[in-house]
mmCIF file of all heavy atoms in Angstrom:
data_model
loop_
_atom_site.group_PDB
_atom_site.id
_atom_site.type_symbol
_atom_site.label_atom_id
_atom_site.label_comp_id
_atom_site.label_asym_id
_atom_site.label_seq_id
_atom_site.Cartn_x
_atom_site.Cartn_y
_atom_site.Cartn_z
ATOM 1 N N GLU A 1 0.837 -1.193 0.000
ATOM 2 C CA GLU A 1 0.000 0.000 0.000
ATOM 3 C C GLU A 1 0.877 1.249 0.000
ATOM 4 O O GLU A 1 1.869 1.332 0.712
ATOM 5 C CB GLU A 1 -0.897 -0.004 1.236
ATOM 6 C CG GLU A 1 -1.999 1.023 1.213
ATOM 7 C CD GLU A 1 -3.059 0.707 0.172
ATOM 8 O OE1 GLU A 1 -3.237 -0.475 -0.171
ATOM 9 O OE2 GLU A 1 -3.724 1.654 -0.290
ATOM 10 N N VAL A 2 0.523 2.215 -0.826
ATOM 11 C CA VAL A 2 1.250 3.485 -0.900
ATOM 12 C C VAL A 2 0.334 4.598 -0.408
ATOM 13 O O VAL A 2 -0.765 4.782 -0.947
ATOM 14 C CB VAL A 2 1.694 3.787 -2.360
ATOM 15 C CG1 VAL A 2 2.418 5.135 -2.420
ATOM 16 C CG2 VAL A 2 2.581 2.674 -2.894
ATOM 17 N N PRO A 3 0.745 5.343 0.621
ATOM 18 C CA PRO A 3 -0.094 6.466 1.061
ATOM 19 C C PRO A 3 -0.168 7.532 -0.023
ATOM 20 O O PRO A 3 0.860 7.921 -0.600
ATOM 21 C CB PRO A 3 0.640 6.985 2.306
ATOM 22 C CG PRO A 3 2.052 6.515 2.149
ATOM 23 C CD PRO A 3 1.986 5.228 1.404
ATOM 24 N N VAL A 4 -1.376 7.985 -0.338
ATOM 25 C CA VAL A 4 -1.569 8.949 -1.420
ATOM 26 C C VAL A 4 -1.851 10.322 -0.827
ATOM 27 O O VAL A 4 -2.879 10.528 -0.168
ATOM 28 C CB VAL A 4 -2.711 8.515 -2.360
ATOM 29 C CG1 VAL A 4 -2.917 9.550 -3.461
ATOM 30 C CG2 VAL A 4 -2.406 7.143 -2.955
ATOM 31 N N LEU A 5 -0.953 11.257 -1.042
ATOM 32 C CA LEU A 5 -1.126 12.624 -0.569
ATOM 33 C C LEU A 5 -2.151 13.358 -1.443
ATOM 34 O O LEU A 5 -2.407 12.950 -2.590
ATOM 35 C CB LEU A 5 0.219 13.344 -0.591
ATOM 36 C CG LEU A 5 1.294 12.738 0.333
ATOM 37 C CD1 LEU A 5 2.638 13.415 0.108
ATOM 38 C CD2 LEU A 5 0.882 12.827 1.793
ATOM 39 N N PRO A 6 -2.711 14.463 -0.956
ATOM 40 C CA PRO A 6 -3.806 15.129 -1.693
ATOM 41 C C PRO A 6 -3.456 15.577 -3.109
ATOM 42 O O PRO A 6 -4.342 15.604 -3.974
ATOM 43 C CB PRO A 6 -4.133 16.333 -0.803
ATOM 44 C CG PRO A 6 -3.727 15.909 0.567
ATOM 45 C CD PRO A 6 -2.525 15.049 0.381
ATOM 46 N N ASP A 7 -2.196 15.934 -3.372
ATOM 47 C CA ASP A 7 -1.816 16.410 -4.703
ATOM 48 C C ASP A 7 -1.452 15.280 -5.656
ATOM 49 O O ASP A 7 -0.918 15.534 -6.742
ATOM 50 C CB ASP A 7 -0.638 17.382 -4.597
ATOM 51 C CG ASP A 7 -1.026 18.700 -3.957
ATOM 52 O OD1 ASP A 7 -2.229 19.017 -3.916
ATOM 53 O OD2 ASP A 7 -0.126 19.426 -3.481
ATOM 54 N N TYR A 8 -1.725 14.032 -5.273
ATOM 55 C CA TYR A 8 -1.345 12.860 -6.060
ATOM 56 C C TYR A 8 -2.566 12.005 -6.354
ATOM 57 O O TYR A 8 -3.531 11.986 -5.576
ATOM 58 C CB TYR A 8 -0.308 12.010 -5.317
ATOM 59 C CG TYR A 8 1.017 12.704 -5.092
ATOM 60 C CD1 TYR A 8 1.147 13.680 -4.113
ATOM 61 C CD2 TYR A 8 2.135 12.389 -5.850
ATOM 62 C CE1 TYR A 8 2.353 14.328 -3.893
ATOM 63 C CE2 TYR A 8 3.354 13.021 -5.633
ATOM 64 C CZ TYR A 8 3.453 13.994 -4.662
ATOM 65 O OH TYR A 8 4.651 14.627 -4.447
ATOM 66 N N ALA A 9 -2.528 11.274 -7.478
ATOM 67 C CA ALA A 9 -3.626 10.378 -7.828
ATOM 68 C C ALA A 9 -3.111 9.259 -8.725
ATOM 69 O O ALA A 9 -2.129 9.434 -9.466
ATOM 70 C CB ALA A 9 -4.753 11.133 -8.529
ATOM 71 N N TRP A 10 -3.790 8.098 -8.662
ATOM 72 C CA TRP A 10 -3.466 6.963 -9.522
ATOM 73 C C TRP A 10 -4.209 7.105 -10.852
ATOM 74 O O TRP A 10 -5.433 7.206 -10.873
ATOM 75 C CB TRP A 10 -3.883 5.655 -8.862
ATOM 76 C CG TRP A 10 -3.110 5.299 -7.626
ATOM 77 C CD1 TRP A 10 -3.561 5.343 -6.339
ATOM 78 C CD2 TRP A 10 -1.771 4.804 -7.566
ATOM 79 N NE1 TRP A 10 -2.574 4.929 -5.475
ATOM 80 C CE2 TRP A 10 -1.466 4.588 -6.204
ATOM 81 C CE3 TRP A 10 -0.785 4.535 -8.522
ATOM 82 C CZ2 TRP A 10 -0.231 4.106 -5.769
ATOM 83 C CZ3 TRP A 10 0.452 4.057 -8.102
ATOM 84 C CH2 TRP A 10 0.723 3.840 -6.751
ATOM 85 N N LEU A 11 -3.474 7.076 -11.949
ATOM 86 C CA LEU A 11 -4.064 7.167 -13.288
ATOM 87 C C LEU A 11 -3.494 6.062 -14.162
ATOM 88 O O LEU A 11 -2.320 5.681 -14.023
ATOM 89 C CB LEU A 11 -3.753 8.524 -13.929
ATOM 90 C CG LEU A 11 -4.215 9.781 -13.184
ATOM 91 C CD1 LEU A 11 -3.737 11.017 -13.927
ATOM 92 C CD2 LEU A 11 -5.724 9.795 -13.021
ATOM 93 N N THR A 12 -4.300 5.555 -15.077
ATOM 94 C CA THR A 12 -3.774 4.610 -16.059
ATOM 95 C C THR A 12 -2.965 5.365 -17.109
ATOM 96 O O THR A 12 -3.096 6.593 -17.271
ATOM 97 C CB THR A 12 -4.901 3.841 -16.763
ATOM 98 O OG1 THR A 12 -5.611 4.749 -17.633
ATOM 99 C CG2 THR A 12 -5.855 3.206 -15.778
ATOM 100 N N LEU A 13 -2.151 4.623 -17.834
ATOM 101 C CA LEU A 13 -1.393 5.245 -18.915
ATOM 102 C C LEU A 13 -2.328 5.791 -19.981
ATOM 103 O O LEU A 13 -2.066 6.850 -20.574
ATOM 104 C CB LEU A 13 -0.427 4.224 -19.514
ATOM 105 C CG LEU A 13 0.548 4.723 -20.579
ATOM 106 C CD1 LEU A 13 1.363 5.898 -20.067
ATOM 107 C CD2 LEU A 13 1.468 3.583 -21.029
ATOM 108 N N GLY A 14 -3.438 5.115 -20.215
ATOM 109 C CA GLY A 14 -4.412 5.611 -21.181
ATOM 110 C C GLY A 14 -4.999 6.944 -20.760
ATOM 111 O O GLY A 14 -5.201 7.839 -21.590
ATOM 112 N N GLN A 15 -5.273 7.114 -19.470
ATOM 113 C CA GLN A 15 -5.788 8.395 -18.984
ATOM 114 C C GLN A 15 -4.743 9.497 -19.135
ATOM 115 O O GLN A 15 -5.066 10.622 -19.529
ATOM 116 C CB GLN A 15 -6.222 8.252 -17.518
ATOM 117 C CG GLN A 15 -7.476 7.414 -17.335
ATOM 118 C CD GLN A 15 -7.811 7.200 -15.871
ATOM 119 O OE1 GLN A 15 -6.963 6.845 -15.063
ATOM 120 N NE2 GLN A 15 -9.078 7.423 -15.515
ATOM 121 N N ILE A 16 -3.491 9.176 -18.831
ATOM 122 C CA ILE A 16 -2.424 10.175 -18.968
ATOM 123 C C ILE A 16 -2.262 10.582 -20.422
ATOM 124 O O ILE A 16 -2.082 11.762 -20.744
ATOM 125 C CB ILE A 16 -1.093 9.619 -18.410
ATOM 126 C CG1 ILE A 16 -1.233 9.312 -16.918
ATOM 127 C CG2 ILE A 16 0.045 10.607 -18.629
ATOM 128 C CD1 ILE A 16 -0.088 8.500 -16.344
ATOM 129 N N GLN A 17 -2.350 9.605 -21.318
ATOM 130 C CA GLN A 17 -2.220 9.924 -22.738
ATOM 131 C C GLN A 17 -3.389 10.777 -23.222
ATOM 132 O O GLN A 17 -3.209 11.668 -24.060
ATOM 133 C CB GLN A 17 -2.104 8.630 -23.547
ATOM 134 C CG GLN A 17 -0.775 7.917 -23.321
ATOM 135 C CD GLN A 17 -0.699 6.579 -24.033
ATOM 136 O OE1 GLN A 17 -1.693 5.870 -24.144
ATOM 137 N NE2 GLN A 17 0.483 6.218 -24.498
ATOM 138 N N GLN A 18 -4.590 10.518 -22.713
ATOM 139 C CA GLN A 18 -5.722 11.376 -23.058
ATOM 140 C C GLN A 18 -5.480 12.812 -22.588
ATOM 141 O O GLN A 18 -5.760 13.773 -23.316
ATOM 142 C CB GLN A 18 -7.000 10.826 -22.433
ATOM 143 C CG GLN A 18 -7.581 9.612 -23.128
ATOM 144 C CD GLN A 18 -8.888 9.175 -22.496
ATOM 145 O OE1 GLN A 18 -8.994 9.003 -21.287
ATOM 146 N NE2 GLN A 18 -9.908 8.998 -23.320
ATOM 147 N N LEU A 19 -4.957 12.967 -21.377
ATOM 148 C CA LEU A 19 -4.663 14.305 -20.854
ATOM 149 C C LEU A 19 -3.554 14.984 -21.661
ATOM 150 O O LEU A 19 -3.513 16.214 -21.755
ATOM 151 C CB LEU A 19 -4.254 14.215 -19.383
ATOM 152 C CG LEU A 19 -5.341 13.734 -18.414
ATOM 153 C CD1 LEU A 19 -4.740 13.492 -17.037
ATOM 154 C CD2 LEU A 19 -6.491 14.728 -18.331
ATOM 155 N N SER A 20 -2.666 14.180 -22.259
ATOM 156 C CA SER A 20 -1.567 14.738 -23.050
ATOM 157 C C SER A 20 -2.044 15.425 -24.315
ATOM 158 O O SER A 20 -1.312 16.213 -24.920
ATOM 159 C CB SER A 20 -0.563 13.627 -23.432
ATOM 160 O OG SER A 20 0.030 13.077 -22.284
ATOM 161 N N THR A 21 -3.280 15.136 -24.730
ATOM 162 C CA THR A 21 -3.825 15.803 -25.919
ATOM 163 C C THR A 21 -4.374 17.186 -25.586
ATOM 164 O O THR A 21 -4.769 17.917 -26.488
ATOM 165 C CB THR A 21 -4.941 14.960 -26.552
ATOM 166 O OG1 THR A 21 -6.057 14.887 -25.659
ATOM 167 C CG2 THR A 21 -4.453 13.545 -26.854
ATOM 168 N N MET A 22 -4.401 17.540 -24.308
ATOM 169 C CA MET A 22 -4.890 18.849 -23.873
ATOM 170 C C MET A 22 -3.695 19.774 -23.652
ATOM 171 O O MET A 22 -2.632 19.353 -23.195
ATOM 172 C CB MET A 22 -5.697 18.708 -22.578
ATOM 173 C CG MET A 22 -6.875 17.760 -22.696
ATOM 174 S SD MET A 22 -7.613 17.333 -21.076
ATOM 175 C CE MET A 22 -8.170 18.951 -20.533
ATOM 176 N N ASP A 23 -3.867 21.049 -23.974
ATOM 177 C CA ASP A 23 -2.766 22.004 -23.839
ATOM 178 C C ASP A 23 -2.384 22.200 -22.379
ATOM 179 O O ASP A 23 -3.242 22.415 -21.505
ATOM 180 C CB ASP A 23 -3.170 23.371 -24.428
ATOM 181 C CG ASP A 23 -3.321 23.338 -25.936
ATOM 182 O OD1 ASP A 23 -2.799 22.400 -26.562
ATOM 183 O OD2 ASP A 23 -3.976 24.250 -26.479
ATOM 184 N N ASN A 24 -1.075 22.140 -22.120
ATOM 185 C CA ASN A 24 -0.492 22.595 -20.854
ATOM 186 C C ASN A 24 -1.032 21.874 -19.617
ATOM 187 O O ASN A 24 -1.150 22.473 -18.546
ATOM 188 C CB ASN A 24 -0.707 24.112 -20.684
ATOM 189 C CG ASN A 24 -0.266 24.898 -21.891
ATOM 190 O OD1 ASN A 24 0.849 24.722 -22.378
ATOM 191 N ND2 ASN A 24 -1.143 25.745 -22.402
ATOM 192 N N ILE A 25 -1.333 20.580 -19.746
ATOM 193 C CA ILE A 25 -1.788 19.801 -18.598
ATOM 194 C C ILE A 25 -0.711 18.809 -18.142
ATOM 195 O O ILE A 25 -0.346 18.779 -16.970
ATOM 196 C CB ILE A 25 -3.104 19.045 -18.907
ATOM 197 C CG1 ILE A 25 -4.225 20.049 -19.227
ATOM 198 C CG2 ILE A 25 -3.499 18.152 -17.741
ATOM 199 C CD1 ILE A 25 -4.583 20.974 -18.077
ATOM 200 N N VAL A 26 -0.185 18.002 -19.051
ATOM 201 C CA VAL A 26 0.852 17.023 -18.715
ATOM 202 C C VAL A 26 2.216 17.641 -19.016
ATOM 203 O O VAL A 26 2.482 18.041 -20.143
ATOM 204 C CB VAL A 26 0.663 15.720 -19.510
ATOM 205 C CG1 VAL A 26 1.759 14.717 -19.158
ATOM 206 C CG2 VAL A 26 -0.708 15.129 -19.236
ATOM 207 N N ASN A 27 3.082 17.709 -17.998
ATOM 208 C CA ASN A 27 4.339 18.428 -18.197
ATOM 209 C C ASN A 27 5.357 17.615 -18.986
ATOM 210 O O ASN A 27 5.184 16.418 -19.242
ATOM 211 C CB ASN A 27 4.901 18.929 -16.856
ATOM 212 C CG ASN A 27 5.640 17.875 -16.058
ATOM 213 O OD1 ASN A 27 5.658 16.692 -16.385
ATOM 214 N ND2 ASN A 27 6.257 18.306 -14.965
ATOM 215 N N MET A 28 6.435 18.280 -19.372
ATOM 216 C CA MET A 28 7.456 17.664 -20.204
ATOM 217 C C MET A 28 8.106 16.470 -19.520
ATOM 218 O O MET A 28 8.412 15.451 -20.153
ATOM 219 C CB MET A 28 8.523 18.699 -20.546
ATOM 220 C CG MET A 28 9.683 18.178 -21.375
ATOM 221 S SD MET A 28 11.061 19.335 -21.391
ATOM 222 C CE MET A 28 11.618 19.226 -19.689
ATOM 223 N N ASP A 29 8.322 16.553 -18.203
ATOM 224 C CA ASP A 29 9.018 15.480 -17.496
ATOM 225 C C ASP A 29 8.189 14.204 -17.470
ATOM 226 O O ASP A 29 8.733 13.104 -17.599
ATOM 227 C CB ASP A 29 9.356 15.937 -16.075
ATOM 228 C CG ASP A 29 10.363 17.078 -16.069
ATOM 229 O OD1 ASP A 29 11.285 17.048 -16.898
ATOM 230 O OD2 ASP A 29 10.227 17.998 -15.255
ATOM 231 N N SER A 30 6.875 14.327 -17.302
ATOM 232 C CA SER A 30 6.016 13.140 -17.383
ATOM 233 C C SER A 30 6.111 12.502 -18.761
ATOM 234 O O SER A 30 6.184 11.275 -18.902
ATOM 235 C CB SER A 30 4.557 13.529 -17.097
ATOM 236 O OG SER A 30 4.400 14.014 -15.781
ATOM 237 N N ARG A 31 6.121 13.333 -19.768
ATOM 238 C CA ARG A 31 6.174 12.821 -21.143
ATOM 239 C C ARG A 31 7.486 12.093 -21.424
ATOM 240 O O ARG A 31 7.506 11.088 -22.148
ATOM 241 C CB ARG A 31 5.970 13.971 -22.138
ATOM 242 C CG ARG A 31 4.575 14.598 -22.060
ATOM 243 C CD ARG A 31 4.503 15.911 -22.837
ATOM 244 N NE ARG A 31 3.233 16.589 -22.640
ATOM 245 C CZ ARG A 31 2.193 16.513 -23.449
ATOM 246 N NH1 ARG A 31 2.269 15.771 -24.542
ATOM 247 N NH2 ARG A 31 1.078 17.169 -23.198
ATOM 248 N N THR A 32 8.605 12.594 -20.862
ATOM 249 C CA THR A 32 9.883 11.931 -21.133
ATOM 250 C C THR A 32 9.943 10.565 -20.460
ATOM 251 O O THR A 32 10.511 9.621 -21.025
ATOM 252 C CB THR A 32 11.069 12.792 -20.667
ATOM 253 O OG1 THR A 32 11.020 12.961 -19.246
ATOM 254 C CG2 THR A 32 11.076 14.138 -21.335
ATOM 255 N N VAL A 33 9.368 10.434 -19.263
ATOM 256 C CA VAL A 33 9.358 9.121 -18.606
ATOM 257 C C VAL A 33 8.476 8.152 -19.385
ATOM 258 O O VAL A 33 8.871 7.014 -19.666
ATOM 259 C CB VAL A 33 8.884 9.239 -17.143
ATOM 260 C CG1 VAL A 33 8.839 7.848 -16.497
ATOM 261 C CG2 VAL A 33 9.797 10.157 -16.339
ATOM 262 N N ILE A 34 7.285 8.594 -19.757
ATOM 263 C CA ILE A 34 6.371 7.733 -20.504
ATOM 264 C C ILE A 34 6.977 7.332 -21.852
ATOM 265 O O ILE A 34 6.761 6.216 -22.343
ATOM 266 C CB ILE A 34 5.019 8.447 -20.688
ATOM 267 C CG1 ILE A 34 4.303 8.541 -19.338
ATOM 268 C CG2 ILE A 34 4.138 7.721 -21.707
ATOM 269 C CD1 ILE A 34 3.089 9.428 -19.345
ATOM 270 N N GLY A 35 7.769 8.238 -22.433
ATOM 271 C CA GLY A 35 8.414 7.920 -23.703
ATOM 272 C C GLY A 35 9.428 6.797 -23.613
ATOM 273 O O GLY A 35 9.855 6.254 -24.644
ATOM 274 N N CYS A 36 9.829 6.416 -22.399
ATOM 275 C CA CYS A 36 10.797 5.328 -22.214
ATOM 276 C C CYS A 36 10.136 3.962 -22.063
ATOM 277 O O CYS A 36 10.834 2.946 -21.972
ATOM 278 C CB CYS A 36 11.655 5.600 -20.969
ATOM 279 S SG CYS A 36 12.638 7.102 -21.038
ATOM 280 N N LEU A 37 8.809 3.909 -22.005
ATOM 281 C CA LEU A 37 8.128 2.649 -21.722
ATOM 282 C C LEU A 37 8.118 1.743 -22.952
ATOM 283 O O LEU A 37 7.760 2.176 -24.046
ATOM 284 C CB LEU A 37 6.682 2.908 -21.283
ATOM 285 C CG LEU A 37 6.479 3.844 -20.091
ATOM 286 C CD1 LEU A 37 4.994 3.903 -19.725
ATOM 287 C CD2 LEU A 37 7.311 3.420 -18.903
ATOM 288 N N PRO A 38 8.474 0.470 -22.789
ATOM 289 C CA PRO A 38 8.376 -0.488 -23.904
ATOM 290 C C PRO A 38 6.983 -1.094 -23.963
ATOM 291 O O PRO A 38 6.293 -1.217 -22.952
ATOM 292 C CB PRO A 38 9.409 -1.553 -23.514
ATOM 293 C CG PRO A 38 9.374 -1.553 -22.009
ATOM 294 C CD PRO A 38 9.101 -0.121 -21.595
ATOM 295 N N PHE A 39 6.554 -1.478 -25.163
ATOM 296 C CA PHE A 39 5.239 -2.108 -25.346
ATOM 297 C C PHE A 39 5.399 -3.448 -26.056
ATOM 298 O O PHE A 39 6.246 -3.592 -26.950
ATOM 299 C CB PHE A 39 4.312 -1.211 -26.160
ATOM 300 C CG PHE A 39 3.942 0.076 -25.467
ATOM 301 C CD1 PHE A 39 4.557 1.270 -25.806
ATOM 302 C CD2 PHE A 39 2.981 0.086 -24.469
ATOM 303 C CE1 PHE A 39 4.221 2.453 -25.170
ATOM 304 C CE2 PHE A 39 2.637 1.265 -23.820
ATOM 305 C CZ PHE A 39 3.260 2.453 -24.174
ATOM 306 N N ASP A 40 4.563 -4.414 -25.664
ATOM 307 C CA ASP A 40 4.482 -5.715 -26.338
ATOM 308 C C ASP A 40 3.027 -5.982 -26.694
ATOM 309 O O ASP A 40 2.115 -5.519 -26.002
ATOM 310 C CB ASP A 40 4.973 -6.855 -25.433
ATOM 311 C CG ASP A 40 6.467 -6.801 -25.184
ATOM 312 O OD1 ASP A 40 7.185 -6.260 -26.046
ATOM 313 O OD2 ASP A 40 6.906 -7.282 -24.116
ATOM 314 N N PHE A 41 2.819 -6.773 -27.753
ATOM 315 C CA PHE A 41 1.463 -7.164 -28.122
ATOM 316 C C PHE A 41 0.807 -7.951 -26.990
ATOM 317 O O PHE A 41 1.457 -8.733 -26.291
ATOM 318 C CB PHE A 41 1.455 -8.026 -29.394
ATOM 319 C CG PHE A 41 1.565 -7.232 -30.662
ATOM 320 C CD1 PHE A 41 2.648 -7.397 -31.516
ATOM 321 C CD2 PHE A 41 0.584 -6.324 -31.005
ATOM 322 C CE1 PHE A 41 2.747 -6.673 -32.682
ATOM 323 C CE2 PHE A 41 0.671 -5.590 -32.185
ATOM 324 C CZ PHE A 41 1.765 -5.765 -33.010
ATOM 325 N N LEU A 42 -0.482 -7.749 -26.803
ATOM 326 C CA LEU A 42 -1.251 -8.526 -25.843
ATOM 327 C C LEU A 42 -1.663 -9.851 -26.461
ATOM 328 O O LEU A 42 -1.864 -9.964 -27.675
ATOM 329 C CB LEU A 42 -2.504 -7.750 -25.413
ATOM 330 C CG LEU A 42 -2.254 -6.465 -24.611
ATOM 331 C CD1 LEU A 42 -3.556 -5.678 -24.487
ATOM 332 C CD2 LEU A 42 -1.720 -6.795 -23.230
ATOM 333 N N ASP A 43 -1.783 -10.874 -25.607
ATOM 334 C CA ASP A 43 -2.226 -12.176 -26.097
ATOM 335 C C ASP A 43 -3.697 -12.146 -26.484
ATOM 336 O O ASP A 43 -4.126 -12.758 -27.450
ATOM 337 C CB ASP A 43 -2.009 -13.247 -25.017
ATOM 338 C CG ASP A 43 -0.520 -13.452 -24.728
ATOM 339 O OD1 ASP A 43 0.283 -13.295 -25.665
ATOM 340 O OD2 ASP A 43 -0.193 -13.763 -23.576
ATOM 341 N N GLU A 44 -4.486 -11.395 -25.701
ATOM 342 C CA GLU A 44 -5.918 -11.360 -25.966
ATOM 343 C C GLU A 44 -6.225 -10.283 -27.009
ATOM 344 O O GLU A 44 -6.139 -9.096 -26.732
ATOM 345 C CB GLU A 44 -6.722 -11.112 -24.683
ATOM 346 C CG GLU A 44 -6.421 -9.811 -23.955
ATOM 347 C CD GLU A 44 -5.286 -9.912 -22.948
ATOM 348 O OE1 GLU A 44 -4.392 -10.775 -23.127
ATOM 349 O OE2 GLU A 44 -5.283 -9.130 -22.006
ATOM 350 N N ASP A 45 -6.555 -10.695 -28.216
ATOM 351 C CA ASP A 45 -6.777 -9.764 -29.316
ATOM 352 C C ASP A 45 -7.950 -8.838 -29.045
ATOM 353 O O ASP A 45 -7.995 -7.706 -29.524
ATOM 354 C CB ASP A 45 -7.025 -10.535 -30.616
ATOM 355 C CG ASP A 45 -7.218 -9.605 -31.798
ATOM 356 O OD1 ASP A 45 -6.229 -8.951 -32.190
ATOM 357 O OD2 ASP A 45 -8.338 -9.513 -32.316
ATOM 358 N N GLN A 46 -8.929 -9.311 -28.227
ATOM 359 C CA GLN A 46 -10.093 -8.479 -27.996
ATOM 360 C C GLN A 46 -9.749 -7.206 -27.234
ATOM 361 O O GLN A 46 -10.559 -6.264 -27.182
ATOM 362 C CB GLN A 46 -11.174 -9.264 -27.238
ATOM 363 C CG GLN A 46 -10.798 -9.637 -25.805
ATOM 364 C CD GLN A 46 -10.075 -10.965 -25.716
ATOM 365 O OE1 GLN A 46 -9.578 -11.464 -26.723
ATOM 366 N NE2 GLN A 46 -10.039 -11.540 -24.530
ATOM 367 N N ALA A 47 -8.569 -7.143 -26.615
ATOM 368 C CA ALA A 47 -8.191 -5.945 -25.864
ATOM 369 C C ALA A 47 -7.694 -4.834 -26.777
ATOM 370 O O ALA A 47 -7.587 -3.683 -26.351
ATOM 371 C CB ALA A 47 -7.111 -6.280 -24.835
#
């Protein structure tokens, strides 16, 4: 369990990417970390 302070929240990567399409919401540093993430195909095609 991680204690969550008021200025923090748990978001999925999909939610963060949606916010990235809005002006001046997701900062440059968040984008650089997310840009380092590797992706692999999912086994379940329906996803």
Side-chain angles (χ1 to χ4, degrees):
E1 192 69 27
V2 178
V4 179
L5 298 173
D7 290 341
Y8 296 76
W10 293 108
L11 302 176
T12 70
L13 185 55
Q15 289 175 312
I16 298 168
Q17 290 175 325
Q18 284 183 309
L19 295 171
S20 297
T21 66
M22 302 168 63
D23 291 342
N24 309 310
I25 298 297
V26 179
N27 80 352
M28 178 194 69
D29 294 321
S30 296
R31 294 168 187 264
T32 63
V33 178
I34 290 170
C36 299
L37 304 184
F39 294 102
D40 291 333
F41 280 118
L42 294 169
D43 295 328
E44 60 272 27
D45 182 69
Q46 67 271 17

